[in-house]
Amino acid sequence: MSFNIIATPFRLSLVLVVLFSLAGCQSLSGKSEQAGLMGTGDLGLIIERASGSVLVVNTTRHDVLGRVEGLGDLSHASVVYSRDARYGYVFGRDGGLTKVDLLTGAIADRVIQSGNSIGGAISQDGRYVAVSNYEPGGVKVFDSETLELVADIPATWTNEQGETARSKTVGLVDAPGNQFVFSLFDAGEIWTLGIVDGEPEVSRYPAGKAPYDALITPDGRYYIAGLFGEDGLSMLDLWEPEAGVTEILPGYGKGEQQLPVYKMPHLEGWAIADGRAFVPAVGHHQVLVADMNDWSLVDRIPVQGQPVFVMASPDNRQIWVSFAHPKNDVVQVIDSSTREIVRTLEPGKAVLHMEFTPRGEEVWVSARDSNRVTVYNTRTLEPVAELNAEKPSGIFFTSRAHTLGL
């Protein structure tokens, strides 16, 4: 296997005081904001998938500060943040990697790094940004300061015909030890990638059939990939990777008629509460509950549709579930202790994403076809604010800058 390496010096800049302005940003309210000092702890980005733009929002004031345009195809987009939470790195479906300055409301830098991208991650030390690609299959690593290419890792494997091919890469996350971990959809493998003194170190592990997405547990120990090609999940213990990949929750759908899969579940933000993992079932109207001590299946919670996101509130008391088409206009809230559905909410048409505020007093929910984001109080489960947005999808708050695997 060969790697293309581009050595670049790392430059660390410390921003002490930043003057906030909205130059290059269009205010949705049509009013100009007074310039002033501002931190980034209560800011975030909302993806406007149809227009290739993002909204800069303030979570405390429920306010849209402005819109940043020119980010390309955001039909499947995600965001990670720099360590100081000033910059958001937006991964677009067209292979675009865009560095957005939240304090100036402008694009700081942008590169087209592939033909089809699916997401990315930022390293534990904040030095590197990695992007997961469908075309060509592989992972590219960039200097987070300059967006200069540092490493190009082709996801090569040997197919059934004995030919060398390149696999789509999915489920890219950051991990302790300044590592990245990702899965190869076509090859059925999990790879770990570290950049040590500018040199990549890659380890490969056989996994289950067709891993489609993955997550890392909050302590950074377990990397778990969902499998589209079989009932079950593949788990790699990053503390003891030499033991290889373990299958967990095998055959959870065995003997049942699987339903059509209109949208693949997302494992990022997997709900883990009270020593149990709450997992979206592929092709079933269920949320699975697994005991994390032995990864045995302990319960199945019936829900109103096929779950896409199954997310725990920061205090782990609530599990919020969104759904695939055609029943994607509601969100259901589960009590993690009783495992009962306590409320069914209707945020709007085509709910796509949810994001909790850092301490969990509120959750923001995007409804693409209603062109709005609704903010709910997690104690009362009542709406407290609405924001207009153009076909909103992903919501990403800067608290992610200090969270492993997001």
Side-chain angles (χ1 to χ4, degrees):
M1 182 181 301
S2 62
F3 305 111
N4 300 321
I5 305 299
I6 296 90
T8 60
F10 174 67
R11 303 177 305 189
L12 177 63
S13 62
L14 178 62
V15 179
L16 297 177
V17 179
V18 184
L19 185 65
F20 178 82
S21 69
L22 292 177
C25 213
Q26 299 178 9
S27 174
L28 294 185
S29 62
K31 61 184 180 181
S32 61
E33 300 283 348
Q34 291 185 346
L37 295 177
M38 177 178 287
T40 60
D42 62 352
L43 301 185
L45 294 174
I46 296 176
I47 302 295
E48 294 186 308
R49 57 181 288 146
S51 55
S53 55
V54 295
L55 298 180
V56 183
V57 296
N58 182 295
T59 63
T60 301
R61 302 202 310 255
H62 302 149
D63 195 13
V64 174
L65 301 180
R67 173 183 284 118
V68 185
E69 300 177 329
L71 280 74
D73 183 356
L74 300 184
S75 59
H76 187 290
S78 60
V79 181
V80 298
Y81 289 97
S82 58
R83 284 168 66 93
D84 62 2
R86 176 175 179 177
Y87 298 102
Y89 299 88
V90 182
F91 308 99
R93 194 59 184 262
D94 58 359
L97 168 58
T98 309
K99 184 178 180 180
V100 175
D101 188 333
L102 275 70
L103 290 179
T104 64
I107 293 175
D109 206 347
R110 175 173 166 81
V111 296
I112 300 295
Q113 55 82 42
S114 77
N116 191 333
S117 177
I118 198 64
I122 190 165
S123 61
Q124 187 179 30
D125 63 5
R127 184 174 179 178
Y128 303 111
V129 175
V131 189
S132 178
N133 294 316
Y134 275 8
E135 296 177 5
V139 169
K140 290 185 179 180
V141 183
F142 298 85
D143 185 301
S144 64
E145 182 78 10
T146 65
L147 294 193
E148 294 182 13
L149 184 65
V150 173
D152 185 356
I153 313 297
T156 56
W157 67 294
T158 303
N159 61 25
E160 294 179 353
Q161 291 72 40
E163 304 168 336
T164 299
R166 292 182 69 158
S167 172
K168 300 180 182 69
T169 54
V170 297
L172 175 64
V173 300
D174 62 285
N178 229 34
Q179 293 187 96
F180 296 107
V181 190
F182 55 95
S183 297
L184 279 64
F185 178 83
D186 304 292
E189 295 180 350
I190 295 172
W191 290 15
T192 61
L193 165 65
I195 306 292
V196 181
D197 297 326
E199 296 292 329
E201 296 182 354
V202 174
S203 298
R204 306 172 63 152
Y205 304 92
K209 186 177 180 181
Y212 65 87
D213 196 12
L215 64 95
I216 191 169
T217 53
D219 60 2
R221 177 167 185 175
Y222 297 107
Y223 176 86
I224 301 172
L227 303 176
F228 188 66
E230 57 187 278
D231 285 341
L233 303 99
S234 289
M235 181 179 73
L236 177 65
D237 185 343
L238 296 175
W239 292 7
E240 301 176 357
E242 63 278 358
V245 173
T246 302
E247 184 183 17
I248 62 174
L249 300 182
Y252 67 75
K254 189 175 182 180
E256 300 179 16
Q257 181 178 1
Q258 194 172 62
L259 301 172
V261 177
Y262 294 104
K263 183 175 176 63
M264 293 302 296
H266 285 257
L267 299 187
E268 180 192 306
W270 232 31
I272 294 177
D274 194 27
R276 292 177 171 83
F278 293 75
V279 187
V282 179
H284 301 282
H285 293 178
Q286 298 174 344
V287 172
L288 309 178
V289 185
D291 187 329
M292 293 183 65
N293 290 316
D294 57 8
W295 294 102
S296 60
L297 182 64
V298 296
D299 202 358
R300 302 168 183 256
I301 304 173
V303 288
Q304 67 91 39
Q306 180 185 304
V308 174
F309 280 103
V310 177
M311 301 177 66
S313 58
D315 64 2
N316 292 333
R317 289 297 305 276
Q318 297 173 346
I319 310 299
W320 288 60
V321 185
S322 65
F323 300 95
H325 175 83
K327 297 183 178 182
N328 60 347
D329 296 348
V330 304
V331 169
Q332 292 190 305
V333 183
I334 299 170
D335 184 304
S336 63
S337 58
T338 65
R339 302 177 202 165
E340 298 289 334
I341 295 172
V342 295
R343 188 74 65 88
T344 297
L345 306 171
E346 299 181 0
K349 298 178 180 179
V351 172
L352 291 188
H353 202 253
M354 303 174 290
E355 182 84 336
F356 290 94
T357 50
R359 296 194 179 190
E361 78 284 357
E362 293 176 345
V363 60
W364 292 40
V365 183
S366 64
R368 181 194 63 202
D369 294 348
S370 294
N371 293 305
R372 69 170 178 254
V373 172
T374 303
V375 183
Y376 288 92
N377 181 299
T378 53
R379 179 178 57 84
T380 65
L381 301 181
E382 296 295 331
V384 295
E386 285 187 0
L387 293 84
N388 295 325
E390 297 180 5
K391 303 297 181 184
S393 56
I395 305 172
F396 305 92
F397 296 154
T398 55
S399 53
R400 288 172 172 253
H402 314 295
T403 304
L404 187 72
L406 295 181

